[in-house]
Structures are given as structure tokens and as C-alpha cells.
């Protein structure tokens, strides 16, 4: 494992001007009183070290946050190989934009925003590749009817599979806003931050998505306004 | 907390935990393969030096070039009087 984590990293010599500009900013955040800096000290020091050319430091960042990112990515795909690919893409994108992290908000929150973007892009690509799934799936209809009778009785895995199957019938935009509000349990504010949309747009999109979802669900599972 | 049936279903789904992943190796390998566009300072300095040297040579050579005479001009000058 250590051999994997400490490869020769000539690529970290490619730190650009943006990274050099970010280093004093992160140093200032670290030097600030703890109550003023929201980011975790380990994240701050490892991001600083990464920007300074330390590849092992970025491996530590990935190691600390990869399970959280994977948990989020499980909302975007139920396939383990695809999930791992999306987690990788998230961290690669994070590395490319690492100099843009202010250090004044938790690194995990910043990674969640990137993960949302990566997952949404994945959905959009898939939606272009193939049209939305068949609307008349008897097995799904039966599972939905069972879930409607007792939604709390399902195992978490079954509930996740069912919710994923239901939301997969929506367009990527509708699916994203409902995934964030329902599955992730985000507030409108959080959803707006993750998507880069305004709060008003999140509310409008959620309203429209609920209306479209109502047509797909049995009465017992239909969403109501939040 | 959303008490609607869909909200309850989502709450159950939220408790689902995916299998642990370890992408540290693949991420570092992918980054190692990437070649971010970089400006090689040594190469830039060398190119600038070469350009300066070429400009200097051109500056010296241009007046000399204009002063050059055709080495065969003398031989053909005798033919100038031959009627065609």
C-alpha cells in the first residue's frame, strides 16, 4: 500500500502560478485563530503541502475524504465500478482546482460541490447516450407499491435501489434537485450552493420535478411540497 | 424532516452505505499521466537567446549583403557590347 501511496511524482513539479498565489492565502488561514478558520487543520496543511509539490499529501487528502465522496456518488450510480470512477474524477478535478479552495470553508463541503458537478455531468452524458428508461416497468411498479404500503420497512440498500430507479426516470436537472433535497437531505441553500443555481431556481426546479415525479409514483409515495 | 412517504423512503435510502473504496493509487496514477501545460524557463531563455543572436547577426550581415557584388559581373560585363 505504501508503495502505491508514495510514487515518484514529477508531475507535482508542475505547480503553476495560481498555486503559488494560493499558498500565502492558506498560510494566513492557518495562522488565524482557530475559531476564525473553519477548515480542518490536517486539510489545510495537506493542501498547502500539495500545492508546494508534495504528492503524498494529496494522497492523504484523498484517503480522508474518499468515503464521503463515495457515499455521495452512490446517489448518482449504483454500479460499483462507475462509482469508483466518479470518485476518481472528483479528486482529479479537485486537484486541478486546488488553488481555488479558499481554506475558509471545510474541504469536504468544497469536494461535495465538485462531486455534484461530476455526478450531474455523468447523468447528462448518460441521458444523451440513451433515452430515459422505459416508463412501464412492472417489477418497479410492484416494488413501488410495496414501498408505498410501508416505506420505513425497507432495508436501506433496497430503499436506495428503489429511489435510484424512480429518480432515474426524470431528466438530469429534475433528478439532481430531488436527489439533493430528498436523498441528500440538503436544504434549499445547500442545494443552491452545490449546484451553483440560485435559491429561487432550486425551488422552481424542485416544484416542477415533483410535479413530474407525481405522474410516475403510486399515490402512497407521491411527494408533497417542501 | 420530511414525513411524506417519499421522504421516509429517502431517509431509509440515506442510511445505505456503499462498499469502501480506495482510489488513492488510481488518482495519483491518473495525475502522473497528465501533462499540464508548463512553461519551461530553460527552454524559454534558450529561445530568447537564440532570437537575440539571430537579430545581431542579421544586423551585421544586412549592410554587408547589400554591398556584395556579383562575382561573375566582371566576366559578363565584356559581353554587354555584343549586339544581339
Amino acid at each position: 500500500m505504501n508503495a502505491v501511496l508514495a510514487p515518484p511524482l514529477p508531475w507535482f513539479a508542475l505547480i503553476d502560478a495560481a498555486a503559488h498565489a494560493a499558498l500565502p492565502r492558506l498560510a494566513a488561514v492557518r495562522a488565524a485563530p482557530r475559531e476564525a478558520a473553519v477548515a480542518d487543520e490536517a486539510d489545510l496543511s495537506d493542501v498547502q503541502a500539495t500545492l508546494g509539490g508534495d504528492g503524498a499529501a494529496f494522497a492523504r487528502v484523498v484517503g480522508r475524504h474518499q468515503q464521503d465522496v463515495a457515499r455521495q456518488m452512490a446517489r448518482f450510480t449504483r454500479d460499483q465500478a462507475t462509482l469508483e470512477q466518479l470518485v476518481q474524477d472528483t479528486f482529479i478535478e479537485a486537484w486541478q482546482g486546488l488553488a481555488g479552495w479558499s481554506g475558509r470553508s471545510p474541504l469536504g463541503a468544497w469536494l461535495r460541490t465538485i462531486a455534484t458537478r461530476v455526478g450531474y455531468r455523468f447523468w447528462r452524458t448518460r441521458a444523451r447516450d440513451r433515452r430515459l428508461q422505459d416508463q412501464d416497468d412492472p417489477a418497479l411498479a410492484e416494488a413501488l407499491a410495496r414501498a408505498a404500503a410501508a416505506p420505513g420497512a425497507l432495508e436501506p440498500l433496497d430503499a436506495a435501489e428503489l429511489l435510484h430507479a424512480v429518480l432515474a426516470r426524470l431528466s438530469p436537472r429534475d433528478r439532481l434537485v430531488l436527489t439533493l433535497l430528498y436523498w441528500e437531505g440538503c436544504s434549499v441553500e445547500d442545494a443552491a450552493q452545490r449546484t451553483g443555481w440560485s435559491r429561487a431556481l432550486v425551488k422552481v426546479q424542485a416544484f416542477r420535478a415533483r410535479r413530474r415525479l407525481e405522474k410516475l409514483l403510486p399515490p402512497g409515495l407521491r411527494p408533497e411540497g417542501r | 424532516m420530511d414525513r411524506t412517504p417519499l421522504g421516509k423512503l429517502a431517509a431509509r435510502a440515506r442510511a445505505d452505505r456503499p462498499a469502501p473504496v480506495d482510489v488513492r493509487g488510481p488518482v495519483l496514477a491518473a495525475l502522473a499521466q497528465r501533462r499540464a501545460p508548463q512553461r519551461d524557463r530553460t527552454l524559454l531563455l534558450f529561445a530568447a537567446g537564440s532570437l537575440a543572436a539571430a537579430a545581431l547577426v542579421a544586423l551585421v550581415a544586412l549592410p554587408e549583403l547589400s554591398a556584395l557584388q556579383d562575382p561573375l559581373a566582371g566576366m559578363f560585363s565584356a559581353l554587354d557590347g555584343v549586339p544581339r
Side-chain angles (χ1 to χ4, degrees):
Chain A
M1 178 66 79
N2 286 339
V4 172
L5 297 183
L9 294 169
W11 48 276
F12 269 104
L14 305 176
I15 301 302
D16 59 9
H20 284 299
L23 283 170
R25 189 181 66 233
L26 293 178
V29 172
R30 283 187 78 189
R34 290 319 302 164
E35 60 271 18
V38 183
D40 183 66
E41 171 63 25
D43 285 336
L44 271 171
S45 66
D46 281 340
V47 168
Q48 256 188 316
T50 302
L51 292 174
D54 182 357
F58 191 63
R60 288 195 295 275
V61 170
V62 175
R64 255 197 311 279
H65 294 279
Q66 60 184 350
Q67 302 310 333
D68 285 340
V69 173
R71 198 171 304 132
Q72 189 182 349
M73 282 309 176
R75 277 78 151 132
F76 289 89
T77 180
R78 304 303 296 169
D79 177 65
Q80 184 67 17
T82 308
L83 182 144
E84 290 189 13
Q85 185 60 53
L86 292 177
V87 175
Q88 281 181 45
D89 292 348
T90 300
F91 282 108
I92 289 169
E93 207 157 296
W95 181 79
Q96 288 170 331
L98 206 54
W101 178 54
S102 68
R104 299 196 180 278
S105 60
L107 186 66
W110 185 70
L111 287 171
R112 278 194 289 277
T113 303
I114 296 175
T116 301
R117 194 163 61 224
V118 169
Y120 182 53
R121 196 166 56 223
F122 165 71
W123 277 348
R124 292 185 63 174
T125 307
R126 295 260 303 209
R128 273 202 306 271
D129 290 347
R130 64 177 175 75
R131 291 319 307 158
L132 297 177
Q133 295 174 1
D134 180 19
Q135 303 284 320
D136 299 319
D137 181 352
L140 180 60
E142 190 182 330
L144 283 172
R146 278 202 309 275
L154 285 174
E155 289 297 318
L157 176 63
D158 296 333
E161 298 283 353
L162 187 58
L163 194 57
H164 188 266
V166 168
L167 295 177
R169 294 170 166 232
L170 298 171
S171 70
R173 279 177 79 88
D174 289 347
R175 189 179 180 184
L176 180 65
V177 73
L178 292 187
T179 296
L180 291 176
L181 293 178
Y182 280 90
W183 204 341
E184 289 272 323
C186 291
S187 63
V188 171
E189 184 74 40
D190 288 342
Q193 191 181 357
R194 294 244 202 126
T195 54
W197 301 345
S198 66
R199 294 179 60 192
L201 180 59
V202 169
K203 287 180 181 175
V204 169
Q205 191 71 40
F207 175 76
R208 291 175 180 165
R210 280 192 207 99
R211 295 288 297 272
R212 285 188 270 266
L213 188 63
E214 279 174 8
K215 297 172 185 168
L216 302 172
L217 292 176
L221 268 182
R222 283 181 187 161
E224 291 161 18
R226 286 183 73 176
Chain B
M1 179 89 184
D2 191 338
R3 298 281 180 194
T4 63
L6 184 69
K8 288 178 186 170
L9 178 67
R12 292 297 290 165
R14 214 173 299 143
D16 178 45
R17 293 284 178 270
V21 298
D22 188 352
V23 297
R24 285 173 292 185
V27 166
L28 294 187
L31 289 179
Q33 285 179 349
R34 283 180 179 235
R35 281 272 169 259
Q38 60 170 322
R39 276 163 283 177
D40 190 323
R41 280 173 192 270
T42 312
L43 199 62
L44 281 176
L45 284 175
F46 187 76
S50 300
L51 190 67
L56 192 65
V57 167
L59 205 65
V60 172
L62 273 177
E64 296 295 328
L65 188 68
S66 60
L68 271 182
Q69 287 188 345
D70 184 353
L72 299 179
M75 191 171 75
F76 287 103
S77 63
L79 300 176
D80 283 349
V82 177
R84 298 186 179 177

